[in-house]
Amino acid sequence: MGKILTTARLWLVMTAVAFSSPAFITAHVTPRTVLNRLSSTSSFLTRTELWFNQTLDHFSPYNHDKFPQRYYEFLDYFRISDGPIFLKICGEGPCNGISNDYLGVLAKKFGAAIVSLEHRYYGKSSPFKSLTTNNLRYLSSKQALFDLAVFRQYYQDSLNLKLNKKGENPWFFFGVSYPGALSAWFRLKFPHLTCGSLASSAVVLAVYNFTEFDQQIGESAGPECKAVLQETNRLVEQRFETNKKEVKALFGAGELEIDGDFFYLLADAAVIAFQYGNPDTLCSPLVQAKNAGNDLVDAYAKYVKDYYIGTFGSSVQTYNQKNLKNTTPGEDSADRLWWFQVCTEVAYFQVAPANDSMRSSKVDTKYHLDLCKNVFGEGIYPDVDTTNIYYGGTGIAGSKIVFTNGSQDPWRHASKQISSPEMPSYLITCHNCGHGTDLRGCPQSHLNIEGNAQNCSSPDAVHKVRQQLVEKMDLWLSECQSTTGRDDFPTGRGRGFSEGILRERIPREKYSMFFSKFNHMFQSTFT
């Protein structure tokens, strides 16, 4: 009875506190985590918080400390009791709910539940009240993968208890960007715990000097916009040499004392337009200013303040190393936390190439290493070789992983872009196809409900890749059922998993009512 009581209590829902500020979803923009604003609560399938106790150190047989980790579940489309469970991995920022993107469409098609786990240390899932460098020693992708494995087992056991059943539901993992890499790495390290993974814009290759990043920005911009951007950068640097205080103030960044921080801000402001499917927002005003003979520096400053900081919602403080030194957990902690992962595991140093650069030469390797030392102290260094040896980089030896990338996304050069057996890689090609286009649609700031692809310059390109994803999921979920010997899944010889689900799904109202009554029963009985 005691064991049942403990397990039942873990399933009680903690009422979510309404957020007074705009909601956020994380995106792997640069080592500076930039948070995309969601327009309204309708952008979420759910924001109801749930919690469970996670192991702090999965690699120590002596440390048994736990910390509360936040997660979410969405059951409206779930086929009781044998539907699949989709795990959407949260990454380098607060996880404030399950966003209503294309994953919701897939869940409806397959009769799936969706669960989403907040990454350790980020958001409300911090093990410590102080984020000192020493306290960050448990922040790594390796620990995060074990978090996912432990949570997956916990949720499956709890679901079985709820439904009074045995056995396993088929699981499928999803992630975009760094979470996309985690999705691929999870299938690599724990193939018995998921039937497959979607690794969208997955940065599986740790890169020390990531010069390909700027090269892609130049290609995505096109010859005319690229030339104007490079001219603008030269003019900014020339004016900066004579009066840096005035130039920083022009861009609304007077508080950035370190010059490299300022130029990183300017570089990111341009990157974001191509990465998230808004190239014309940047290129059109700059090209128009050039053709009209207007001041390019003023035109770019207007774009940075009005769009990057205004509409997009970035913050100058994200680039301030004084801010990165702040060890008090809070809304801005994601910047410090992600930089720690950058400075210890993956680097992704976006340095200026020797030739044809799209950013200031002040943003070089030394700038990044100095930042790591200044923010975290001596001895912090990104061991990218070890990371790539551990996971395999783009030579990852996994199976049943779908890799997807947008043609304009600079991060695709840290992803797997060549297909291999049981690991297809699809490139979505269009003018504004960027980071995570397969799940998020175009453009991605603000996000489109259900990942609408109609605003992509080539919706057919997005639909084609989505169909290929569905076919792989259908096949792998069917094979997973066959391998586990489960006869109660709604599949059969000659038809796929999703077809069986669609034919045999329980009406939504019935299982929503069932879970509501079940949770109410648990609260009445065990509280």
Side-chain angles (χ1 to χ4, degrees):
M1 181 63 186
K3 183 176 181 181
I4 295 176
L5 175 63
T6 301
T7 308
R9 287 185 186 276
L10 291 172
W11 270 91
L12 298 180
V13 177
M14 295 183 68
T15 304
V17 177
F19 292 91
S20 58
S21 58
F24 293 94
I25 182 171
T26 60
H28 192 90
V29 179
T30 67
R32 322 281 186 167
T33 302
V34 177
L35 303 176
N36 274 333
R37 296 183 186 272
L38 294 175
S39 57
S40 68
T41 54
S42 65
S43 299
F44 291 96
L45 296 173
T46 181
R47 295 182 68 178
T48 301
E49 297 174 343
L50 297 157
W51 299 85
F52 90 112
N53 288 325
Q54 181 63 268
T55 300
L56 177 61
D57 185 2
H58 297 286
F59 299 96
S60 171
Y62 309 108
N63 187 343
H64 302 294
D65 291 344
K66 305 279 186 178
F67 70 95
Q69 193 165 21
R70 181 167 61 163
Y71 74 96
Y72 303 87
E73 66 175 4
F74 180 73
L75 302 170
D76 283 15
Y77 305 139
F78 183 47
R79 182 188 185 280
I80 297 176
S81 62
D82 47 21
I85 300 173
F86 293 168
L87 195 155
K88 184 174 186 177
I89 303 172
C90 285
E92 66 280 26
C95 186
N96 290 333
I98 298 176
S99 56
N100 187 12
D101 56 20
Y102 187 64
L103 183 58
V105 177
L106 291 173
K108 192 171 185 178
K109 177 179 179 60
F110 284 91
I114 305 175
V115 294
S116 190
L117 181 69
E118 186 166 60
H119 196 294
R120 60 169 50 211
Y121 283 85
Y122 292 92
K124 296 184 179 181
S125 298
S126 178
F128 299 101
K129 294 182 180 180
S130 177
L131 302 177
T132 63
T133 300
N134 184 58
N135 282 348
L136 297 182
R137 63 190 182 277
Y138 303 111
L139 174 57
S140 70
S141 61
K142 300 177 184 66
Q143 295 279 7
L145 289 177
F146 269 91
D147 285 349
L148 292 168
V150 171
F151 170 75
R152 184 251 190 242
Q153 292 302 93
Y154 154 80
Y155 192 86
Q156 182 67 72
D157 291 344
S158 300
L159 184 66
N160 287 354
L161 178 65
K162 266 190 171 185
L163 301 179
N164 191 28
K165 74 181 188 71
K166 298 180 180 180
E168 295 268 318
N169 292 75
W171 286 69
F172 208 97
F173 278 51
F174 297 81
V176 179
S177 195
Y178 166 59
L182 291 175
S183 182
W185 294 338
F186 188 87
R187 172 65 193 176
L188 173 71
K189 298 298 183 181
F190 300 96
H192 57 295
L193 295 182
T194 180
C195 302
S197 291
L198 170 64
S200 175
S201 299
V203 285
V204 293
L205 178 67
V207 187
Y208 187 64
N209 284 328
F210 198 3
T211 55
E212 294 87 353
F213 191 93
D214 266 20
Q215 291 168 359
Q216 180 62 55
I217 293 299
E219 293 178 18
S220 298
E224 185 177 31
C225 183
K226 175 183 176 181
V228 175
L229 271 172
Q230 289 178 322
E231 181 179 356
T232 302
N233 282 330
R234 287 194 297 270
L235 292 172
V236 170
E237 290 199 73
Q238 289 173 10
R239 193 178 299 184
F240 192 84
E241 291 301 319
T242 58
N243 195 335
K244 66 172 64 177
K245 185 177 181 180
E246 180 183 90
V247 173
K248 288 181 179 179
L250 178 65
F251 284 87
E255 63 264 47
L256 299 182
E257 297 178 1
I258 299 174
D259 294 347
D261 293 349
F262 171 71
F263 284 106
Y264 211 126
L265 163 66
L266 299 195
D268 273 3
V271 164
I272 215 68
F274 304 103
Q275 182 171 323
Y276 287 107
N278 295 288
D280 297 336
T281 304
L282 168 66
C283 291
S284 293
L286 285 184
V287 171
Q288 289 171 8
K290 172 67 176 177
N291 293 337
N294 296 332
D295 191 307
L296 286 176
V297 177
D298 287 344
Y300 191 52
K302 184 178 186 333
Y303 162 81
V304 171
K305 290 185 291 186
D306 291 353
Y307 179 74
Y308 186 52
I309 296 174
T311 302
F312 188 79
S314 185
S315 170
V316 173
Q317 286 304 310
T318 295
Y319 299 85
N320 193 336
Q321 291 187 39
K322 285 186 177 180
N323 178 60
L324 296 179
K325 289 182 177 182
N326 184 3
T327 60
T328 303
E331 289 185 1
D332 297 330
S333 297
D335 300 322
R336 173 176 174 82
L337 296 171
W338 178 241
W339 264 111
F340 181 79
Q341 292 191 259
V342 164
C343 291
T344 55
E345 282 192 288
V346 292
Y348 303 135
F349 290 166
Q350 294 161 39
V351 300
N355 300 302
D356 208 25
S357 176
M358 300 299 294
R359 69 181 62 214
S360 169
S361 59
K362 295 183 185 296
V363 185
D364 55 10
T365 305
K366 184 178 184 301
Y367 163 78
H368 290 86
L369 294 177
D370 286 349
L371 183 151
C372 293
K373 179 180 178 181
N374 181 37
V375 173
F376 301 108
E378 295 283 353
I380 300 297
Y381 183 85
D383 194 353
V384 297
D385 289 340
T386 297
T387 300
N388 289 329
I389 288 172
Y390 188 75
Y391 295 122
T394 55
I396 180 173
S399 65
K400 297 184 178 179
I401 305 169
V402 173
F403 289 88
T404 58
N405 287 283
S407 60
Q408 307 308 303
D409 182 14
W411 288 104
R412 69 184 179 92
H413 297 283
S415 184
K416 178 177 170 60
Q417 298 190 81
I418 300 175
S419 295
S420 56
E422 290 204 301
M423 286 190 295
S425 181
Y426 304 123
L427 182 66
I428 309 173
T429 303
C430 76
H431 174 65
N432 59 342
C433 287
H435 212 55
T437 291
D438 53 336
L439 289 181
R440 297 172 177 171
C442 302
Q444 293 158 54
S445 178
H446 301 292
L447 294 186
N448 290 292
I449 302 298
E450 296 188 346
N452 187 359
Q454 292 308 115
N455 290 326
C456 298
S457 64
S458 178
D460 288 345
V462 182
H463 294 322
K464 180 180 179 180
V465 169
R466 286 178 172 178
Q467 182 57 38
Q468 290 170 316
L469 169 62
V470 167
E471 290 172 358
K472 291 298 182 184
M473 290 177 62
D474 211 12
L475 173 63
W476 294 342
L477 287 168
S478 296
E479 291 177 345
C480 197
Q481 179 267 326
S482 176
T483 301
T484 56
R486 290 285 306 279
D487 295 327
D488 53 337
F489 284 152
T491 57
R493 192 177 301 277
R495 59 174 172 155
F497 192 95
S498 62
E499 182 181 359
I501 288 291
L502 289 171
R503 290 183 181 180
E504 303 180 40
R505 180 182 297 149
I506 295 173
R508 174 175 173 176
E509 294 79 6
K510 288 187 178 180
Y511 58 71
S512 294
M513 186 181 301
F514 170 82
F515 273 107
S516 177
K517 288 183 177 179
F518 196 92
N519 280 329
H520 178 72
M521 179 189 74
F522 264 35
Q523 292 181 43
S524 300
T525 305
F526 296 114
T527 58

